[in-house]
Amino acid sequence: AAAAGKRGLRVVLVDPEPDKPWPNNYGVWLDEFDELGLSHTMRKVWKSARVVFEAPDCTDGEGRPDAVLRRPYGQVDRIKLKAELIAQCKEYGVACVAAKADAVDHDSYSPNVSALKISGTAAENLPYDAIYARSVLDATGHSRRLVEFDQEFTPGYQAAYGILAKVKSHPFPLDEMLFMDWSDTHLDNSPQWKEINRRIPTFLYVMPFDEQTIFLEETSLVARPALDFDDLKEKLDIRLAHLGVEVLDVEEVEYCLIPMGGVMPTLPQRTLGLGGTAGMVHPSTGFMVSKTIKSAATLADSLAVSLKRDSPAAQDEMSTSVWNSIWTPADIRQRSFMCFGMETLMQLDVRGIREFFSTFFELQDKYWAGFLSWRLPPFALIQLGLSLFKGFTNTMRLEFVSSALPFMPSFIVNFANGGNTFKSEPWMGAGADHVLEGKSSSKRREALNRNGYVDGVGPIPSCVPVSTTTAAAATTTSDAIDIEAGPSFSGMREDWDWVRFQQSKALPTQAPLADQLPEPKSTSSDVIVVGCGPAGLALAAAMGRQGLSVTVVGPDAPFTNNYGVWYDEFEELGLAHTLEHVYDRARIWIDDNDDAAGRVLDRTYAQVDRKALREELIAQCLSSGNVSYVNALVDTIKPETSDESGMETGRSVVIMDDVPAGGNDDDEATSSTPAKPEPCVANVICMATGHNRELLKYEEGPPPGWQTAYGIEIRLKDHPFPKTDVVFMDFRQSDPEPSDGDMGALPTAWRVPSFLYTLPKLSDPDVVFVEETCLVARVQVPFDELRRRLLRRLTRMGIDVNSVEVLEEEASWIPLGGTLPKVPQRYLAYGAAAGFVHPASGYSITHSLSRADSVAAAVARGLRDTGAGDMRERSQLAVTEGWEELWGYEKRRQMGFYQFGMELIMSLRLPQLRNFFDTFFRLDRESWVGFLSHRLSGVGLLMFAFQTFLIADLDLRVRLVSHLASQSGAGQRLFEAYAKPLTDMLSGTEAADESHSSRPAMISPPSQVSASIDEDDDGIIVRKEPPQPSASSVFSNEQNAQALDGLPPGFQAADWWRVGVRDAPAAYGSPEAGGYWWSDGSVMRSPINGQQLPNSAAAEPTDMPGSYGFDPLGVGNDTDLQTLRQSELLHGRWAMLAVLGVILPETGSLLSGADTTQFHWWAPYGYDMADKQLLYMGAPLPLGLPLVALLHFPLMGAAELLRAGKLKVPAGLRELDPVYPGGIFDPLGLAPAAGDDLPRLKEIEVNTARVAMIAFYTFVWEAILFHKGPIEIFVR
């Protein structure tokens, strides 16, 4: 306040008790207060400070001498310091209000003004309950009252118990304070306390004022959780008794608890911060006061400059400028380093702490003093760290590395990018224990399983299998099914019938859309949204709010699906009022060994009220005043052309059919069908058609996975499911895996896992929705098979499925993953049609609702860009802007990662899937919540994968790594998603090079869409002639292919990724002329160009350089020879370089007479562990090993994938040989110069490469057997 007033700002200071004395004792380094001009506020100054590591009478120590710090240290006189600052406030006109700050409102009053809400006795006597200001600053310390945090605050805690006492005498010199005393001989007679102190050490802190007045404090430097004050008091009493200090009188008692480290506030934000609330406590020491007072001047300078600007945008600029002034990237890096140090210190025992501080205070003064005073720039911090490591003993190095390693990923990420996300948890939180409720011993669990009841949860399913086969009546038909019998395709109801049943449900409580939204006043509008589900209505409302006229086209149907959502997501969208049931707890059971109460997920879950959500979205459409509705099916979409010129106008025509009776999309209209609706015209067409793919073009690639679920809402008195909690996943009572031989000729097949999901009706304890869910499968698990599993599960739980009352039946069908829409194309997509479904979970509704405004804004921006040209160009720009908003690089990275996760889940059997989810829900909350809610960035997802890998067991780790390289191509597609910016950059001229259309040029798209809208596309889409097979035909064909393979429904085999992708399933395993097949009968194709490979028996590869027909093992008969040749050449070229790298240094050392052993290629000096420096022939290389690896992986990875044809090859490079020089990869012109000699040079190269590989192999064995290099052996 004083600093701001000094700079001419009008300041109001708000504090509930401004006259209350400050309770804390502050110790500071004198030079810091000298710089601040506050040295006159010191109570006493000591010329030096001492650090004691071991007592003189210590018998089990290492004889460490004390460290004497030649840096004056002092205690601040709290009364003088406060009086000084109050005097400055008075001098500069600072006003003061004795009130409590309750909240700050930045939005309601004015864009430039914030309102601080106040309360309290004094405030009640004021004529106002708020103070208005251009800026509000929170200096409320560790209460963090106003400043916002977007991450969980997980600090360590410094706890201390101290007394200012009169003593009979003491052994401490008066000219020196005791900064730290880590000795523990006073605990020799208290083994329990000594063991506690060994693990969580504390130290003595002493300020002697005179022979009898002294401040004594027992301090825990940092711990999580904080040490108890009573324990610290007892340890201090034991220590004083050991020192012979007799306390005569206690003048003051201090209880000090300081949160240290943890995350900083959200940066930037409108509310400013200073001191503890702004993260200014030194994370490794607890010092704060000097840093805070120094930062106050910096903050006031920036604030004074920023407040001169007066505009709504200036407020955000002001807060950003001020936060950046007190938290520069260098300051944030410094804090991350300190947090890293804090976390490491918490892992050390007393011996480690002693060696750490002994080494720390042996460093140059500039290092240890600078670290304690926030004065070291990032490079100096690195030097400090390296110097510390170099000074440690080998034992300490090992202990330090093991202690620091869990926090290294978070530190590296934040130190490298100056980020504010340092995780105060091992492995960035991945090591956090899972939160369990009702945890009980195995004996108690057995008892609970016997009586089937858990307090607060209700009855639990029996763990005893049902021994008899039970025939249960179907819930909606009169046919009976054998719930214990193995599944069979024969006699099953078609899955498409189930899907149509779900889509055509009649829910009379949901009023027809045509009765609520108006008909269009004109056949022309800005936007036509095709589809009136949640995504379509949300987008229409958002477009309407942008001032665009919108026509919604689609069948007038209710919302039929039951949506389960996370409460916080709907609350953020302002849709919490549309939730029917809110469940405080979600429970999961991974297997039968879980506690009877299950595992509790720390996240509130909810069930959407379908009627309320639909009414809310309709109300939003109505409130915009721009949305109309046509009850029709889209038949054809085509570009509008000018009657005069025949040129496209940039608008599109939508030709519609009336909805047939019964809502059957595929039935032809009869003679009694009403006349077709009049065609509509719009600048932009957006498809929100759900999983229907008939009106859009999609990229080529693997088919989707399939999530299917069969559920029933039942009324059953005293049902055994939790009455108030959702069962999110219950893998108990699952069908057993088939035994060896049960699958006949398919020993590698397994049952696709499924789990139980329940939603109780809170208003009626006898009603519950139960659902059998297959999370994802390569081939759709039929609904009849899921129904069989559900009824079998209920029967095993003791429920008579013939007696339950079924209120509603649901068949949920969700294609997951698969290819995205082609980007860009003429017509936009939204919701599930645009690929919004989470591939690894099936969630989509929240994602669809949350992105409507941003997509609508992008479209509106393009349509209103008057600088883009005529309406045709603006329409194209609007579509391109919309596609970039939908699928920019970041969104593609996210989707690539989620699809990788989906395919991993598809490859797991039930025990492995249980292991996966056990690992997943042991991640820190932010990670698993972020993964399920589309909140993790592309980089965040990589860190998520890293955390998962770290806490996973060996089996899951192996599966994760093997999945990256599996034949399913999941790893390749993941890399393509992350490398897309690079590949697009390399192919940046492709569109221009290949353009040959005579039509006017399209508007160039923004940078994150890889090509222009295809000008060869005539823009005509016919629903009954879709650009690619419909989703229903895809899953039907896949189920047919599975039946031909002999797999029963609900099962899949080890080569699950091949199902449904063969060119001719009927010819499975049969030879084709001149072709080569995998052992399962699928055609083998070259990874270079995708062409079918020649059968080795039909074409002898005699034209390859270095091919002499020598193949005694027959490798060429069963393997892709082109791939082998590439591998041979690449390995050989590396080997030739390696041989030179081995021979030349050793030869040079012999010629110079140096010691040859120093230049052996395996010599340890190649990497200096102390300095973390790469060396070559004893000389340091400019780049460190981490940076070399960081640069090497993406560059080499991208080059290799391009060479192998795994990524899209840029134009101009497609004709180049992937392994021999040519084009831009031949800067020396070797290939043209070689001319006719090129074949001979290729043969020389491959033969030399073979010799080099053999040579290096020999070098390795020479080093192992003789410890000598090749030249040394040759010469000596």
Side-chain angles (χ1 to χ4, degrees), residues 1091-1108:
Q1091 298 299 311
Q1092 182 173 332
L1093 293 175
N1095 191 311
S1096 59
E1100 184 69 22
T1102 57
D1103 57 339
M1104 286 187 179
S1107 175
Y1108 308 109

Side-chain angles (χ1 to χ4, degrees), residues 803-881:
S803 64
V804 299
E805 179 186 355
V806 177
L807 305 178
E808 184 180 349
E809 189 174 28
E810 176 166 294
S812 174
W813 168 76
I814 306 175
L816 303 182
T819 56
L820 297 175
K822 287 185 177 180
V823 176
Q825 57 181 296
R826 287 178 176 269
Y827 308 120
L828 272 177
Y830 193 70
F836 278 14
V837 179
H838 195 304
S841 68
Y843 286 123
S844 70
I845 185 169
T846 305
H847 193 193
S848 297
L849 297 176
S850 64
R851 295 186 63 189
D853 284 322
S854 62
V855 173
V859 171
R861 187 167 57 246
L863 288 176
R864 292 169 178 157
D865 189 346
T866 56
D870 59 17
M871 179 51 69
R872 176 176 179 272
E873 293 172 329
R874 293 204 300 274
S875 296
Q876 293 164 356
L877 180 60
V879 171
T880 305
E881 291 266 7

Side-chain angles (χ1 to χ4, degrees), residues 7 74 141 173 347 497 521-522 616 644 646 712 1019 1176 1209:
R7 285 150 182 83
Q347 311 306 310
D497 289 341
K521 298 178 180 178
S522 167
E616 169 63 26
E644 299 176 358
I712 49 177
Y1176 186 70
V1209 180

Side-chain angles (χ1 to χ4, degrees), residues 219 379 629:
T219 303
F379 183 73
Y629 171 66

Side-chain angles (χ1 to χ4, degrees), residues 50-66 171-172 178 181-186 188 239 242-243 354:
R50 180 176 295 271
V51 180
V52 176
F53 303 105
E54 299 168 358
D57 57 346
C58 180
T59 59
D60 57 354
E62 300 179 20
R64 300 183 190 280
D66 297 351
F172 304 102
L178 183 61
D181 182 354
W182 294 102
S183 63
D184 62 355
T185 53
H186 59 288
D188 287 346
R239 192 189 291 269
H242 179 77
L243 292 172
R354 287 169 178 167

